[in-house]
Amino acid sequence: MAINPSRSDIEALSHDLLKLVDNLDATEHGELIYNALKAITQLSQTESERLDWKILTGSLQDMQKAIAMFYPHRFNRKVSIFGSARTSANAPEYRQAFEFSEKITKQGFMVITGAGGGIMAAGNEGAGNNSFGLNISLPFEQSSNGFVSEASRLVRFRYFFTRKLYFIKESDAIALFPGGFGTQDEFFECLTLCQTGRTSPRPIVLIDKLGGDYWNDWDVFVQNNLLERGLITKEDRSLYKITDDIDEACQFIASFYSVYHSCRWVGDLFVIRLHIEITDEHLDRLNDNFSDILLGGKIQRSSALPKEANEPHIIDLPRLTMHFNQHGFGRLYELISAINDTCDSGNPLICHPEQR
């Protein structure tokens, strides 16, 4: 419930805003702060409903809490775990989620769950102090599970869309266990964002109990009703992996970042950052096998570009650049897999893929 601010509250806000605006040109990300303030000012001068302001206010408050929680951990890779809140603690899927979280955090990753029951509780329990909870208030099912109760590791969201935003923004991998509508909603949003390039590439692993058929049946549906009708491409199935083996799931995530580190756009160039240089022969193979996703030219070596200066912690990493066609994202996943193909797991330079 909104509380009317007092005169002293308004005066304090006015003081803070004047101080912010006066120092905007010397403030980091000042141009973005300016655009945010300008948007709020423009909205206040247009006709709008109270509900519009409630959504804007609630969204900003959700985001402020999430940013404050995650910022100290921004250089640690994290795995978002989705699955049913209804899974009982004695179910094999619960044990699988617990073991997965326990093992992936031992590899150095951190875990994010919805902080509810079932698979979420298993994820937080298995990860211990290396987990976060993104909770949401619902009429049923969704109270905090108690395995992630620290204020510094738990955020209660007002809106699903801001909650899902931070599941994606803060994660470097997605692990899904069997679940209902909510799990499928989260999964399809992740798939859509990866398929359309609206988020950075990341491994997506679908984990079932030993001998389970939940994800295999889902994949049959995808092949029969989406692929066969030409609604997706065969390369889109490279966006995810299905397994019932926890060690295989953990290795799949770690190996994604064995040579590949990250990527970004710099103008019309797609830049891939690597933990280590690849050989000339390896680069030639990439050009031979992935010319179909280039608008022109070749995949080339590069050092950091001037516009990457805002990421000084990875400025020395070797790069590959290319004119990517911006629609073959399933093939991009295959390219990343090919980049990692000759990974030497004994090389000390790549033994910590969990660090961003």
Side-chain angles (χ1 to χ4, degrees):
M1 181 176 178
I3 300 175
N4 288 330
S6 66
R7 170 50 53 184
S8 61
D9 291 332
I10 294 173
E11 290 174 353
L13 175 61
S14 177
H15 174 269
D16 290 341
L17 284 172
L18 286 173
K19 183 179 178 181
L20 174 61
V21 172
D22 284 345
N23 293 285
L24 206 54
D25 56 350
T27 301
E28 187 177 14
H29 316 307
E31 76 285 2
L32 297 175
I33 298 172
Y34 168 82
N35 289 332
L37 294 173
K38 185 177 180 181
I40 291 175
T41 301
Q42 290 174 334
L43 182 59
S44 71
Q45 296 168 353
T46 62
E47 293 186 2
S48 55
E49 297 180 347
R50 181 175 177 81
L51 180 58
D52 295 320
W53 282 104
K54 289 181 70 175
I55 292 172
L56 176 62
T57 301
S59 302
L60 289 174
Q61 289 171 339
D62 278 354
M63 295 171 68
Q64 184 274 325
K65 291 182 289 186
I67 291 169
M69 181 176 73
F70 282 119
Y71 186 79
H73 309 279
R74 62 194 180 281
F75 296 126
N76 288 96
R77 293 201 189 274
K78 306 169 193 71
V79 182
S80 284
I81 296 178
F82 300 115
S84 177
R86 304 183 185 190
T87 303
S88 66
N90 58 3
E93 293 88 348
Y94 188 102
R95 186 63 195 173
Q96 287 274 78
F98 177 92
E99 291 180 1
F100 171 78
S101 295
E102 187 177 47
K103 288 185 176 182
I104 203 70
T105 52
K106 284 181 179 177
Q107 291 180 200
F109 292 83
M110 303 184 83
V111 160
I112 307 171
T113 84
I119 294 299
M120 294 174 278
N124 290 128
E125 183 183 6
N129 293 328
N130 295 304
S131 70
F132 302 90
L134 307 184
N135 202 225
I136 191 165
S137 297
L138 294 176
F140 60 94
E141 289 184 345
Q142 194 72 6
S143 58
S144 177
N145 58 45
F147 293 112
V148 54
S149 56
E150 295 179 65
S152 62
R153 297 291 178 89
L154 178 66
V155 171
R156 299 186 188 280
F157 284 80
R158 183 174 303 181
Y159 296 120
F160 269 113
F161 74 89
T162 47
R163 180 175 179 246
K164 287 195 288 186
L165 169 64
Y166 280 89
F167 270 126
I168 302 298
K169 175 187 177 296
E170 295 298 333
S171 72
D172 301 275
I174 306 293
L176 293 112
F177 292 82
F181 288 156
T183 300
Q184 291 291 328
D185 171 53
E186 289 154 342
F187 180 26
F188 274 109
E189 178 151 358
C190 293
L191 273 181
T192 301
L193 291 171
C194 291
Q195 183 205 41
T196 57
R198 300 308 298 171
T199 190
S200 57
R202 79 239 4 241
I204 301 175
V205 59
L206 315 181
I207 305 172
D208 209 338
K209 65 183 178 181
L210 189 62
D213 58 9
Y214 180 93
W215 291 117
N216 285 319
D217 284 352
W218 174 88
D219 194 42
V220 170
F221 166 82
V222 167
Q223 293 181 65
N224 291 343
N225 293 282
L226 303 183
L227 180 59
E228 289 299 320
R229 300 181 190 201
L231 304 177
I232 64 171
T233 68
K234 62 183 177 62
E235 291 83 11
D236 287 331
R237 294 183 63 235
S238 297
L239 297 172
Y240 57 87
K241 178 181 179 61
I242 298 173
T243 184
D244 61 5
D245 185 289
I246 294 302
D247 289 332
E248 184 179 27
C250 292
Q251 179 57 31
F252 175 69
I253 290 172
S255 64
F256 191 90
Y257 297 104
S258 55
V259 177
Y260 170 84
H261 179 277
S262 57
C263 61
R264 66 173 285 183
W265 285 94
V266 178
D268 62 350
L269 274 181
F270 189 69
V271 182
I272 297 177
R273 284 79 73 96
L274 310 175
H275 286 287
I276 57 172
E277 289 277 11
I278 60 174
T279 66
D280 290 339
E281 293 78 12
H282 194 170
L283 182 58
D284 289 341
R285 287 200 303 275
L286 297 181
N287 275 301
D288 289 341
N289 295 331
F290 294 95
S291 60
D292 58 297
I293 61 173
L294 303 183
L295 293 174
K298 289 189 172 185
I299 303 171
Q300 297 182 325
R301 299 184 190 279
S302 176
S303 56
L305 302 177
K307 289 187 178 180
E308 295 182 275
N310 62 340
E311 298 175 283
H313 63 291
I314 56 173
I315 203 74
D316 294 327
L317 292 183
R319 267 84 166 154
L320 300 176
T321 61
M322 62 182 187
H323 292 282
F324 178 47
N325 63 17
Q326 299 193 51
H327 61 79
F329 285 96
R331 285 287 284 155
L332 178 62
Y333 272 63
E334 294 174 359
L335 170 61
I336 292 171
S337 179
I339 287 172
N340 291 323
D341 265 352
T342 58
C343 170
D344 175 8
S345 59
N347 189 324
L349 292 176
I350 55 174
C351 64
H352 292 290
E354 76 282 0
Q355 296 297 316
R356 285 179 174 170

